[in-house]
Amino acid sequence: MKDVFVLGAATTKYGKSLLSARELALEASKKAIIESNIKPNDIQAGFVANAFSLAEKQGHLGPIIMSGLGIPDVPASTIESACSSGASAIREAWVNIGAGIYDCMLVTGVEKVSQLDTITATTYFSFGSDYIFEGACGASFPGLYGSIARAHMTKYGTTEEQLANVAVKNHENAMFNPNAHFHKKITVDDVMNSIVVASPLKLFDACPFSDGAASAVLCSEEFLRRMNGHASEAIKIVASGRAGGTGALHQRPDLTTLNSAVLAAREAFKRANLGPKDIDFLEVHDCFTIAELVALEDLGFYPRGQAAKATEEGQTKPGGQTPVNPSGGLKAKGHPVGATGVGQVVEVYEQLNGRAGQRQIKDARIALTHNVGATGGSCAVHIFEKR
Ligand SMILES: CC(C)(COP(=O)(O)OP(=O)(O)OC[C@H]1O[C@@H](n2cnc3c(N)ncnc32)[C@H](O)[C@@H]1OP(=O)(O)O)[C@@H](O)C(=O)NCCC(=O)NCCS
């Protein structure tokens, strides 16, 4: 396996956009190419991370993006892995470059859903669950994560106020992210008084429906060398881990953990020969506040049932011992499904290069990303290091 690097990465602003998926994807791709100091012709292949482009009556985005970049002969196919499509596409590019098939690849994640009304968007998203047993029975993602939250509260005594702390922190972090969906500071009371979406989860416990795109150029060490010093901001993908889990929650013995995250983290830490103590900050999949707490426990940063207290104590804030989601996370930066896992890489790229402005994590050198598909049917974990 050869070493693989992120040469450059960039994102559009997340939120409600008037642009189409193809326009968003092209904007992010062009920015990433410029950021990488390469020409489109340097790209040998690509992956598009996307889950719902059919909502715009447009599948098969790969050729459209490559044609828009002026390289129609370059192959690009879609990776769909629900909300973990982005990290799954990064993983597949890592495999391809690591195996020596390609030297330079473009990974672009994109989603455009704000044209859908809430019921339609919720229904489309529920196609990522085990639809026969969950979505079709009315158990959409807020309901499924509500069940996970309820199980965690019952088993570990986690409170609704402790869940609210996650939202308060991530909204605060997003204040310093110009590309975030929300720039709105909130309090625990705001969360507690917001409308119930799926008890115990309320409006401010949920990520929004976001549009947006994020893009990363991945390359081999040989490619970096050929760039003759024009790749000073490249970061190394130290390790990748990926695993699956049951599609449906009722097939699991314990709702307070996502086994795919446990297994993906185990693979990534083993490949990197590192552990949680080596990580300077994390971007985790906080699609609902409970998901951030479960992530921190699944990834081994806190013992079971302890992440809520740690969050309450401020340990996961930017200045704390385990900074989590300095970007604002899915909760406040936003969750354009296909883009999310690639967007986490953009945050890592900016942080490890000391370019995160007011949200910069001091002396950040090693970072971890965690991107979950649905309620854990899939998960990919990556570890990055500044060269
Ligand atoms: C929570 C949810 C139902 C709210 O949707 P909605 O009721 O249609 O909300 P609207 O779009 O009508 O927005 C109403 C207001 O709430 C705000 N808002 C919407 N979602 C929000 C969220 N998740 N957090 C904070 N504010 C939110 C809007 O900005 C808007 O504010 P404004 O009136 O000041 O402009 C929706 O965001 C949701 O389902 N989120 C989860 C998405 C999901 O499941 N993703 C997959 C995860 S696995």
Side-chain angles (χ1 to χ4, degrees):
M1 180 88 198
K2 296 180 177 190
D3 285 343
V4 181
F5 297 83
V6 177
L7 187 53
T11 181
T12 65
K13 184 176 173 358
Y14 288 2
K16 286 186 193 298
S17 174
L18 294 175
L19 300 181
S20 62
R22 74 167 74 193
E23 290 169 315
L24 288 164
L26 275 172
E27 181 186 325
S29 304
K30 286 176 186 170
K31 278 181 169 173
I33 288 169
I34 292 167
E35 185 69 35
S36 303
N37 279 320
I38 61 166
K39 298 268 179 286
N41 281 335
D42 291 315
I43 295 164
Q44 298 164 315
F47 285 121
V48 179
N50 175 263
F52 303 112
S53 74
L54 287 180
E56 277 191 323
K57 300 187 173 62
Q58 178 63 69
H60 206 196
L61 278 169
I64 290 169
I65 296 171
M66 292 305 179
S67 299
L69 294 173
I71 46 172
D73 296 347
V74 173
S77 46
T78 298
I79 302 273
E80 190 274 311
S81 203
C83 306
S84 72
S85 300
S88 303
I90 295 282
R91 160 81 172 200
E92 294 311 320
W94 173 80
V95 169
N96 271 267
I97 296 170
I101 309 287
Y102 298 115
D103 271 326
C104 182
M105 293 187 74
L106 179 72
V107 177
T108 296
V110 63
E111 216 65 64
K112 164 72 184 179
V113 292
S114 68
Q115 72 280 18
L116 306 173
D117 60 70
T118 305
I119 292 174
T120 308
T122 303
T123 305
Y124 275 38
F125 277 39
S126 73
F127 296 160
S129 67
D130 187 334
Y131 189 70
I132 293 174
F133 295 105
E134 296 181 333
C137 306
S140 58
F141 282 117
L144 295 170
Y145 274 93
S147 303
I148 292 173
R150 188 62 74 193
H152 205 274
M153 290 165 76
T154 304
K155 190 164 179 181
Y156 298 115
T158 308
T159 65
E160 292 186 40
E161 286 81 0
Q162 286 178 321
L163 295 177
N165 286 323
V166 174
V168 171
K169 168 184 68 72
N170 289 347
H171 270 260
E172 195 164 333
N173 290 353
M175 295 295 289
F176 302 116
N177 186 345
N179 292 315
H181 187 142
F182 293 126
H183 293 119
K184 182 180 172 129
K185 229 174 156 166
I186 56 168
T187 63
V188 168
D189 280 349
D190 290 332
V191 183
M192 295 301 290
N193 295 327
S194 62
I195 190 165
V196 174
V197 176
S199 177
L201 302 177
K202 296 167 280 297
L203 177 71
F204 283 111
D205 285 298
C207 66
F209 292 115
S210 311
D211 303 325
S215 191
V217 174
L218 270 57
C219 72
S220 65
E221 192 155 24
E222 292 86 330
F223 190 90
L224 274 189
R225 234 178 277 124
R226 288 203 295 275
M227 289 196 65
N228 268 335
H230 291 288
S232 59
E233 300 211 325
I235 59 173
K236 184 174 174 184
I237 303 180
V238 187
S240 171
R242 189 164 175 235
T246 67
L249 286 189
H250 73 265
Q251 294 170 312
R252 300 184 192 170
D254 183 357
L255 294 192
T256 63
T257 169
L258 308 189
N259 198 44
S260 58
V262 174
L263 297 177
R266 197 176 293 162
E267 182 192 345
F269 280 130
K270 189 168 176 214
R271 284 184 186 278
N273 199 19
L274 296 172
K277 286 195 167 48
D278 300 301
I279 305 297
D280 295 319
F281 79 93
L282 310 84
E283 283 286 309
V284 305
H285 196 94
D286 58 324
C287 51
F288 296 90
T289 47
I290 182 63
E292 179 165 314
L293 302 182
V294 171
L296 290 175
E297 293 167 4
D298 283 342
L299 296 169
F301 284 80
Y302 291 100
R304 295 275 164 210
Q306 299 292 309
K309 189 161 177 289
T311 304
E312 198 172 21
E313 291 170 358
Q315 292 183 29
T316 58
K317 287 185 174 180
Q321 69 178 55
T322 314
V324 181
N325 284 329
S327 70
L330 283 64
K331 173 66 208 76
K333 176 188 172 191
H335 183 27
V337 173
T340 289
V342 188
Q344 292 177 327
V345 177
V346 176
E347 178 68 12
V348 167
Y349 172 78
E350 292 183 354
Q351 288 279 356
L352 296 189
N353 281 304
R355 284 172 42 190
Q358 288 188 76
R359 63 181 198 286
Q360 181 67 45
I361 302 298
K362 199 165 167 280
D363 300 329
R365 210 176 53 82
I366 303 179
L368 180 147
T369 60
H370 155 275
N371 187 202
V372 172
T375 51
S378 54
C379 181
V381 171
H382 288 91
I383 299 173
F384 304 83
E385 184 172 17
K386 181 66 190 154
R387 290 165 67 225

